[in-house]
Amino acid sequence: MRPGAVALAVSSLAVLGAGPPAPSPPLPARMTDTGGGTQLITAVAPRAASTTGTVTWWDLRGGRWVRAGSAPARFGANGLAEGAFRKQGTNTTPTGLYGLPYAFGIKAAPRGTAYKYRRVHRDSWWCQDNDSRSYNRWTEPRAADCRAAESEHLITYGERYAHALVIGFNYERPVRGRGAGIFLHVNGRGATAGCVSVTQRAMRKILRWADPAKRPHIAVGTASGTTAVTRY
């Protein structure tokens, strides 16, 4: 065999022996922060202008994040916007890492739900009135200083609010004008007004999976860029 042929054969064997590239770490392992718990939901859109993407829920087991489930997702009609600078009424989904204070729904909680679950009644409202002391809060009945035209009458949302989780965006110390009533809920006919939505089947799976003792959070963002989910 010619020397050149020998060298080529050795090189080919070296490439064959190298094996496949190591798989990239799971998404939560590449994030700046996951909230400190052992459960996490990621809601990722391809780009900031996207109205669709993927919701995935994860468990931390033995120091490694493992995917527990995944489903197609919908976002705001005008895409996603940096949560710290979002404006109310823009139909954008706020990006960031948020807690999940409690669950609610028009229908009863799925069997096995561990989260605090609040049933929607005919006098249940979510106040979005910037002039109200109840801004970005459930109010039952509707607070006297909270205008109906500036609020959501929860029961009128039908299947969309059959089951939902409150996303803690602008929740702990609400900033007026930033936005209110951001939830993870069941799909409607199309894009949302700023929430994240999934199928009812996926929403029920998430509620049965979520364990408040494991301190789950939700990270909302894009695959790359300034609103990349890995930044949160």
Tab-separated table of all heavy atoms in Angstrom, residues 30-67:
chain	number	residue	atom	x	y	z
A	30	ARG	N	-28.872	24.862	30.575
A	30	ARG	CA	-28.224	25.955	29.861
A	30	ARG	C	-28.777	27.318	30.259
A	30	ARG	O	-28.357	28.346	29.735
A	30	ARG	CB	-28.377	25.753	28.354
A	30	ARG	CG	-27.594	24.554	27.831
A	30	ARG	CD	-27.756	24.368	26.332
A	30	ARG	NE	-28.932	23.599	25.979
A	30	ARG	CZ	-29.912	24.025	25.187
A	30	ARG	NH1	-29.867	25.240	24.672
A	30	ARG	NH2	-30.934	23.240	24.896
A	31	MET	N	-29.714	27.332	31.198
A	31	MET	CA	-30.336	28.586	31.612
A	31	MET	C	-29.553	29.252	32.730
A	31	MET	O	-28.880	28.595	33.522
A	31	MET	CB	-31.774	28.331	32.047
A	31	MET	CG	-32.676	27.919	30.893
A	31	MET	SD	-34.347	27.471	31.415
A	31	MET	CE	-34.847	28.973	32.254
A	32	THR	N	-29.667	30.572	32.802
A	32	THR	CA	-29.008	31.344	33.859
A	32	THR	C	-29.614	31.029	35.222
A	32	THR	O	-28.917	30.940	36.220
A	32	THR	CB	-29.132	32.851	33.566
A	32	THR	OG1	-28.534	33.126	32.299
A	32	THR	CG2	-28.437	33.681	34.636
A	33	ASP	N	-30.942	30.840	35.255
A	33	ASP	CA	-31.643	30.588	36.516
A	33	ASP	C	-32.867	29.736	36.216
A	33	ASP	O	-33.515	29.913	35.181
A	33	ASP	CB	-32.057	31.924	37.148
A	33	ASP	CG	-32.632	31.781	38.547
A	33	ASP	OD1	-32.603	30.667	39.098
A	33	ASP	OD2	-33.108	32.794	39.092
A	34	THR	N	-33.189	28.829	37.107
A	34	THR	CA	-34.390	27.998	36.941
A	34	THR	C	-35.367	28.172	38.103
A	34	THR	O	-36.364	27.462	38.179
A	34	THR	CB	-34.016	26.513	36.805
A	34	THR	OG1	-33.276	26.108	37.965
A	34	THR	CG2	-33.176	26.269	35.551
A	35	GLY	N	-35.067	29.101	39.001
A	35	GLY	CA	-35.963	29.381	40.109
A	35	GLY	C	-35.638	28.660	41.393
A	35	GLY	O	-36.255	28.908	42.425
A	36	GLY	N	-34.693	27.734	41.366
A	36	GLY	CA	-34.253	27.062	42.580
A	36	GLY	C	-35.032	25.829	42.964
A	36	GLY	O	-34.676	25.149	43.928
A	37	GLY	N	-36.088	25.488	42.219
A	37	GLY	CA	-36.866	24.304	42.535
A	37	GLY	C	-36.402	23.098	41.732
A	37	GLY	O	-35.388	23.139	41.038
A	38	THR	N	-37.176	22.036	41.822
A	38	THR	CA	-36.838	20.814	41.082
A	38	THR	C	-37.868	20.511	39.988
A	38	THR	O	-37.903	19.415	39.449
A	38	THR	CB	-36.715	19.608	42.034
A	38	THR	OG1	-37.940	19.446	42.763
A	38	THR	CG2	-35.564	19.816	43.006
A	39	GLN	N	-38.709	21.490	39.683
A	39	GLN	CA	-39.601	21.424	38.531
A	39	GLN	C	-39.514	22.744	37.777
A	39	GLN	O	-39.298	23.803	38.378
A	39	GLN	CB	-41.057	21.175	38.952
A	39	GLN	CG	-41.340	19.761	39.418
A	39	GLN	CD	-42.829	19.520	39.625
A	39	GLN	OE1	-43.590	20.423	39.960
A	39	GLN	NE2	-43.250	18.274	39.434
A	40	LEU	N	-39.682	22.668	36.465
A	40	LEU	CA	-39.602	23.867	35.625
A	40	LEU	C	-40.448	23.668	34.380
A	40	LEU	O	-40.490	22.573	33.817
A	40	LEU	CB	-38.148	24.136	35.220
A	40	LEU	CG	-37.917	25.345	34.301
A	40	LEU	CD1	-38.137	26.653	35.062
A	40	LEU	CD2	-36.516	25.317	33.707
A	41	ILE	N	-41.129	24.738	33.969
A	41	ILE	CA	-41.820	24.774	32.683
A	41	ILE	C	-41.080	25.767	31.794
A	41	ILE	O	-40.789	26.880	32.224
A	41	ILE	CB	-43.290	25.209	32.834
A	41	ILE	CG1	-44.059	24.247	33.745
A	41	ILE	CG2	-43.972	25.302	31.472
A	41	ILE	CD1	-45.455	24.731	34.116
A	42	THR	N	-40.765	25.363	30.571
A	42	THR	CA	-40.194	26.294	29.602
A	42	THR	C	-41.209	26.513	28.489
A	42	THR	O	-41.827	25.572	28.007
A	42	THR	CB	-38.869	25.779	29.010
A	42	THR	OG1	-39.060	24.468	28.441
A	42	THR	CG2	-37.786	25.709	30.085
A	43	ALA	N	-41.383	27.770	28.105
A	43	ALA	CA	-42.281	28.138	27.013
A	43	ALA	C	-41.436	28.909	26.011
A	43	ALA	O	-41.060	30.058	26.261
A	43	ALA	CB	-43.432	28.994	27.533
A	44	VAL	N	-41.118	28.277	24.885
A	44	VAL	CA	-40.132	28.812	23.951
A	44	VAL	C	-40.732	29.028	22.573
A	44	VAL	O	-41.361	28.130	22.005
A	44	VAL	CB	-38.910	27.874	23.840
A	44	VAL	CG1	-37.838	28.486	22.948
A	44	VAL	CG2	-38.335	27.572	25.224
A	45	ALA	N	-40.532	30.217	22.033
A	45	ALA	CA	-40.939	30.559	20.670
A	45	ALA	C	-39.697	30.692	19.804
A	45	ALA	O	-38.628	31.065	20.313
A	45	ALA	CB	-41.717	31.874	20.667
A	46	PRO	N	-39.776	30.417	18.502
A	46	PRO	CA	-38.594	30.537	17.656
A	46	PRO	C	-38.018	31.947	17.624
A	46	PRO	O	-36.808	32.142	17.686
A	46	PRO	CB	-39.113	30.125	16.267
A	46	PRO	CG	-40.326	29.291	16.531
A	46	PRO	CD	-40.937	29.866	17.770
A	47	ARG	N	-38.899	32.960	17.543
A	47	ARG	CA	-38.475	34.353	17.448
A	47	ARG	C	-39.436	35.230	18.244
A	47	ARG	O	-40.545	34.795	18.583
A	47	ARG	CB	-38.474	34.821	15.981
A	47	ARG	CG	-37.471	34.095	15.094
A	47	ARG	CD	-37.684	34.435	13.634
A	47	ARG	NE	-39.013	34.028	13.177
A	47	ARG	CZ	-39.328	32.790	12.824
A	47	ARG	NH1	-38.424	31.817	12.878
A	47	ARG	NH2	-40.547	32.495	12.420
A	48	ALA	N	-39.050	36.475	18.483
A	48	ALA	CA	-39.900	37.386	19.250
A	48	ALA	C	-41.225	37.666	18.546
A	48	ALA	O	-42.233	37.950	19.197
A	48	ALA	CB	-39.158	38.694	19.521
A	49	ALA	N	-41.249	37.593	17.226
A	49	ALA	CA	-42.481	37.859	16.480
A	49	ALA	C	-43.382	36.639	16.366
A	49	ALA	O	-44.497	36.735	15.845
A	49	ALA	CB	-42.138	38.381	15.080
A	50	SER	N	-42.939	35.494	16.850
A	50	SER	CA	-43.700	34.251	16.715
A	50	SER	C	-44.942	34.245	17.597
A	50	SER	O	-44.953	34.822	18.682
A	50	SER	CB	-42.822	33.047	17.068
A	50	SER	OG	-41.684	32.982	16.247
A	51	THR	N	-45.964	33.560	17.130
A	51	THR	CA	-47.169	33.377	17.941
A	51	THR	C	-47.353	31.921	18.361
A	51	THR	O	-48.305	31.592	19.057
A	51	THR	CB	-48.424	33.838	17.173
A	51	THR	OG1	-48.544	33.073	15.963
A	51	THR	CG2	-48.339	35.326	16.835
A	52	THR	N	-46.437	31.049	17.942
A	52	THR	CA	-46.484	29.639	18.329
A	52	THR	C	-45.105	29.179	18.789
A	52	THR	O	-44.096	29.804	18.474
A	52	THR	CB	-46.954	28.745	17.165
A	52	THR	OG1	-46.034	28.888	16.067
A	52	THR	CG2	-48.360	29.119	16.707
A	53	GLY	N	-45.081	28.093	19.515
A	53	GLY	CA	-43.823	27.534	20.002
A	53	GLY	C	-44.089	26.247	20.749
A	53	GLY	O	-45.011	25.504	20.404
A	54	THR	N	-43.317	26.017	21.806
A	54	THR	CA	-43.417	24.752	22.546
A	54	THR	C	-43.341	24.997	24.047
A	54	THR	O	-42.498	25.766	24.514
A	54	THR	CB	-42.277	23.795	22.134
A	54	THR	OG1	-42.298	23.609	20.719
A	54	THR	CG2	-42.421	22.450	22.819
A	55	VAL	N	-44.213	24.338	24.763
A	55	VAL	CA	-44.139	24.288	26.227
A	55	VAL	C	-43.623	22.918	26.625
A	55	VAL	O	-44.120	21.893	26.141
A	55	VAL	CB	-45.517	24.563	26.866
A	55	VAL	CG1	-45.568	24.038	28.303
A	55	VAL	CG2	-45.827	26.048	26.872
A	56	THR	N	-42.620	22.897	27.493
A	56	THR	CA	-42.048	21.643	27.991
A	56	THR	C	-41.977	21.716	29.502
A	56	THR	O	-41.649	22.767	30.057
A	56	THR	CB	-40.638	21.415	27.411
A	56	THR	OG1	-40.694	21.510	25.983
A	56	THR	CG2	-40.090	20.050	27.800
A	57	TRP	N	-42.295	20.622	30.165
A	57	TRP	CA	-42.164	20.599	31.618
A	57	TRP	C	-41.106	19.574	32.011
A	57	TRP	O	-40.988	18.513	31.418
A	57	TRP	CB	-43.500	20.384	32.314
A	57	TRP	CG	-44.417	19.311	31.836
A	57	TRP	CD1	-44.689	18.118	32.442
A	57	TRP	CD2	-45.272	19.326	30.665
A	57	TRP	NE1	-45.625	17.388	31.736
A	57	TRP	CE2	-46.000	18.110	30.639
A	57	TRP	CE3	-45.473	20.254	29.630
A	57	TRP	CZ2	-46.912	17.797	29.633
A	57	TRP	CZ3	-46.385	19.940	28.622
A	57	TRP	CH2	-47.083	18.733	28.633
A	58	TRP	N	-40.313	19.962	33.016
A	58	TRP	CA	-39.092	19.244	33.375
A	58	TRP	C	-39.047	18.916	34.856
A	58	TRP	O	-39.561	19.667	35.691
A	58	TRP	CB	-37.873	20.112	33.070
A	58	TRP	CG	-37.772	20.672	31.683
A	58	TRP	CD1	-38.420	21.791	31.199
A	58	TRP	CD2	-36.964	20.176	30.607
A	58	TRP	NE1	-38.067	22.013	29.893
A	58	TRP	CE2	-37.169	21.041	29.502
A	58	TRP	CE3	-36.085	19.105	30.482
A	58	TRP	CZ2	-36.519	20.855	28.282
A	58	TRP	CZ3	-35.441	18.914	29.270
A	58	TRP	CH2	-35.656	19.779	28.179
A	59	ASP	N	-38.355	17.813	35.173
A	59	ASP	CA	-38.059	17.434	36.555
A	59	ASP	C	-36.546	17.362	36.737
A	59	ASP	O	-35.829	16.896	35.837
A	59	ASP	CB	-38.642	16.059	36.886
A	59	ASP	CG	-40.147	16.082	37.003
A	59	ASP	OD1	-40.659	16.838	37.844
A	59	ASP	OD2	-40.817	15.338	36.264
A	60	LEU	N	-36.069	17.801	37.882
A	60	LEU	CA	-34.660	17.653	38.227
A	60	LEU	C	-34.514	16.359	39.028
A	60	LEU	O	-34.999	16.253	40.152
A	60	LEU	CB	-34.186	18.855	39.052
A	60	LEU	CG	-32.696	18.900	39.396
A	60	LEU	CD1	-31.839	18.963	38.135
A	60	LEU	CD2	-32.407	20.100	40.304
A	61	ARG	N	-33.836	15.386	38.430
A	61	ARG	CA	-33.679	14.071	39.060
A	61	ARG	C	-32.204	13.714	39.111
A	61	ARG	O	-31.543	13.640	38.083
A	61	ARG	CB	-34.422	12.996	38.254
A	61	ARG	CG	-35.917	13.216	38.119
A	61	ARG	CD	-36.540	12.174	37.231
A	61	ARG	NE	-37.953	12.428	36.967
A	61	ARG	CZ	-38.663	11.822	36.029
A	61	ARG	NH1	-38.074	10.901	35.256
A	61	ARG	NH2	-39.933	12.116	35.845
A	62	GLY	N	-31.711	13.482	40.311
A	62	GLY	CA	-30.311	13.103	40.466
A	62	GLY	C	-29.350	14.113	39.889
A	62	GLY	O	-28.301	13.753	39.354
A	63	GLY	N	-29.720	15.395	39.973
A	63	GLY	CA	-28.854	16.458	39.476
A	63	GLY	C	-28.952	16.710	37.989
A	63	GLY	O	-28.229	17.546	37.451
A	64	ARG	N	-29.881	16.023	37.294
A	64	ARG	CA	-30.026	16.199	35.847
A	64	ARG	C	-31.490	16.503	35.512
A	64	ARG	O	-32.396	15.868	36.030
A	64	ARG	CB	-29.567	14.945	35.104
A	64	ARG	CG	-29.680	15.059	33.587
A	64	ARG	CD	-29.094	13.847	32.886
A	64	ARG	NE	-29.301	13.910	31.441
A	64	ARG	CZ	-28.560	14.612	30.606
A	64	ARG	NH1	-27.545	15.325	31.073
A	64	ARG	NH2	-28.806	14.623	29.295
A	65	TRP	N	-31.679	17.486	34.627
A	65	TRP	CA	-33.022	17.837	34.190
A	65	TRP	C	-33.528	16.820	33.161
A	65	TRP	O	-32.846	16.532	32.178
A	65	TRP	CB	-33.035	19.232	33.587
A	65	TRP	CG	-32.908	20.313	34.619
A	65	TRP	CD1	-31.785	21.003	34.942
A	65	TRP	CD2	-33.951	20.813	35.465
A	65	TRP	NE1	-32.048	21.904	35.945
A	65	TRP	CE2	-33.370	21.814	36.287
A	65	TRP	CE3	-35.304	20.516	35.605
A	65	TRP	CZ2	-34.120	22.520	37.228
A	65	TRP	CZ3	-36.048	21.217	36.555
A	65	TRP	CH2	-35.462	22.204	37.343
A	66	VAL	N	-34.724	16.305	33.415
A	66	VAL	CA	-35.333	15.290	32.559
A	66	VAL	C	-36.684	15.807	32.078
A	66	VAL	O	-37.490	16.315	32.866
A	66	VAL	CB	-35.530	13.968	33.333
A	66	VAL	CG1	-36.203	12.925	32.454
A	66	VAL	CG2	-34.192	13.452	33.865
A	67	ARG	N	-36.936	15.669	30.782
A	67	ARG	CA	-38.197	16.133	30.218
A	67	ARG	C	-39.345	15.237	30.673
A	67	ARG	O	-39.299	14.026	30.499
A	67	ARG	CB	-38.112	16.135	28.687
A	67	ARG	CG	-39.308	16.781	28.000
A	67	ARG	CD	-39.074	16.843	26.495
A	67	ARG	NE	-39.220	15.520	25.911
A	67	ARG	CZ	-40.152	15.188	25.022
A	67	ARG	NH1	-40.998	16.091	24.589
A	67	ARG	NH2	-40.212	13.976	24.532
